[in-house]
Amino acid sequence: MATISGPSAAALHSLSPSDVDFLQSLPKAELHAHLNGCIPLQTLTDLTEHLTLPADTTDEIAATVARLKSGLTLNDVSEFFPLFSAIYAITSTPSALGRVTRDVLDSFLKAESNPPPGFAYTPAPECSYLELRTTPRATAQMSRYTYLTTVLDEIEKFSADQAALIVSIDRRMSDADARECVDLAIALRAAGRRVVGLDLCGDPGKGDIATFEKHFKRGKDAGLGLTLHIAEVCGNTTAESLALLDWRPDRLGHATFLSDEHKALFFADLLQPGSVPSPATESNSRRNGAYKPCIEICLSSNLLSRTVQSLESHHIQYYLANDHPISICTDDTLPFRTTLLAEYAQLLAKPPLGLGLGREQVKRIAAMGMEARFVQGRVEVK
Ligand code: IMP
Ligand code: ZN
């Protein structure tokens, strides 16, 4: 059962049953969901109760789970990333990771047995297609290879047109760690496993992106789609964003702090002769000859982590006004207490709870998300 509250829950509550039916009937793709950020609260609680955890971690874990249960309030995005150290202590064995992956996949792809408390709609799957992303972690109980195959074993229980994996590289990783993760992603894909892309994620205030360029290039050359968290906080410089765009990502996560002037510049003029994206990815990010990487929009995540003050001032407005491809995503359903349906509700709900878009426009936005999947136009993977 999903636990939702906050802005997306308010938007969903305000919709008529017919609007909810409409949103549920749309084929939707969830393209930006972090595995450890999307653990259902009930799964986390169960695991916490049944796992034997190192004594020195139990207080921190109990405190984090209690915060997540009571509903998180963040004063700043920097308070968000430390939450994961407690979650990671819970998902550090193959069996816990397998259970979590199963439950996350089910939460997106299977109709819930009950709607969330207080919501009277008929349960339906949150989306038709899920590109789940996760950062391979080596722990005392598993290698990065075991981490990835454990996750893939669960993903591949669904068909290729329902679920696939994006391997995340954390900005805090060393060159050697990033190399190992990308090597694994490439090797698993070559072995027929369902790895479709690479992501750059992690605390946007940390790391030097120059470390990762060669690894993302290798991944791209091996046919993996690229998505990069970019300009997520105001401290991310224009120079950094320009450098990331130079890798020709297919999709961008957030892209909150690109100025309108830079957006116009980046997305109109980037395609120079000789810098054409690889054939594997070009259908995803080119439109009418211009470079138009799909922007993964995470409304609740941005509002609750306070990188955006209101829907009215959200950068989605620019992308809608400029007919730039976007995809609506949840980012982390656990801390942000949302679902994909509730994120879509914020498109349809009347201001100030939502953007007040018409059904035709919402339908088109859902279609843009489906078009930005990494599986399209690629070699068939298992
Ligand atoms: P995991 O990759 O499955 O372990 O999911 C959690 C990880 O995703 C976190 O440790 C972060 O590195 C990353 N993550 C989650 N949300 C965000 C975000 O909004 N921006 C950047 N990284 C994020
Ligand atoms: Zn993210």
Side-chain angles (χ1 to χ4, degrees), residues 32 34 133 229 254 331-332:
H32 187 142
H34 298 268
R133 58 183 73 187
H229 284 72
H254 302 304
D331 209 8
D332 299 282

Side-chain angles (χ1 to χ4, degrees), residues 136-249:
R137 257 179 307 127
T139 69
Q141 294 86 4
M142 62 185 162
S143 62
R144 286 199 165 102
Y145 174 83
T146 304
Y147 185 104
L148 285 175
T149 52
T150 301
V151 173
L152 283 164
D153 286 349
E154 297 301 330
I155 286 179
E156 290 165 359
K157 288 177 183 163
F158 291 83
S159 66
D161 56 12
Q162 285 185 295
L165 177 68
I166 296 173
V167 173
S168 293
I169 309 301
D170 191 307
R171 295 172 63 114
R172 291 160 288 191
M173 279 182 183
S174 67
D175 182 47
D177 287 343
R179 177 185 307 280
E180 185 190 352
C181 292
V182 174
D183 282 350
L184 282 170
I186 294 172
L188 286 164
R189 179 182 171 82
R193 303 301 301 260
R194 208 181 294 149
V195 183
V196 294
L198 293 177
D199 160 47
L200 180 69
C201 73
D203 188 335
K206 303 270 165 64
D208 177 1
I209 57 141
T211 317
F212 308 114
E213 180 175 1
K214 55 186 176 300
H215 301 305
F216 276 81
K217 183 171 184 320
R218 284 190 305 120
K220 185 167 193 160
D221 290 346
L224 292 164
L226 300 192
T227 175
L228 309 176
H229 284 72
I230 190 172
E232 188 175 351
V233 294
C234 62
N236 291 128
T237 62
T238 302
E240 181 184 278
S241 298
L242 265 178
L244 290 173
L245 287 166
D246 220 33
W247 304 359
R248 292 293 180 277

Side-chain angles (χ1 to χ4, degrees), residues 287 294 323-327 363-372:
R287 225 199 231 185
C294 174
D323 192 30
H324 189 108
I326 60 169
S327 172
K363 190 172 169 185
R364 181 161 145 58
I365 292 171
M368 286 196 278
M370 293 295 278
E371 279 161 25

Side-chain angles (χ1 to χ4, degrees), residues 242-264:
L242 265 178
L244 290 173
L245 287 166
D246 220 33
W247 304 359
R248 292 293 180 277
D250 304 279
R251 302 198 309 248
L252 304 175
H254 302 304
T256 311
F257 290 94
L258 295 178
S259 69
D260 287 0
E261 186 191 352
H262 281 117
K263 287 198 273 274

Side-chain angles (χ1 to χ4, degrees), residues 90-146:
I90 301 169
T91 59
S92 63
T93 63
S95 72
L97 181 66
R99 157 89 193 269
V100 158
T101 310
R102 229 170 6 258
D103 290 359
V104 171
L105 286 158
D106 287 355
S107 73
F108 281 103
L109 294 168
K110 292 191 177 167
E112 290 186 309
S113 51
N114 295 298
F119 291 89
Y121 57 82
T122 311
E126 285 291 310
C127 58
S128 338
Y129 174 79
L130 167 66
E131 257 164 32
L132 188 60
R133 58 183 73 187
T134 197
T135 320
R137 257 179 307 127
T139 69
Q141 294 86 4
M142 62 185 162
S143 62
R144 286 199 165 102
Y145 174 83
T146 304

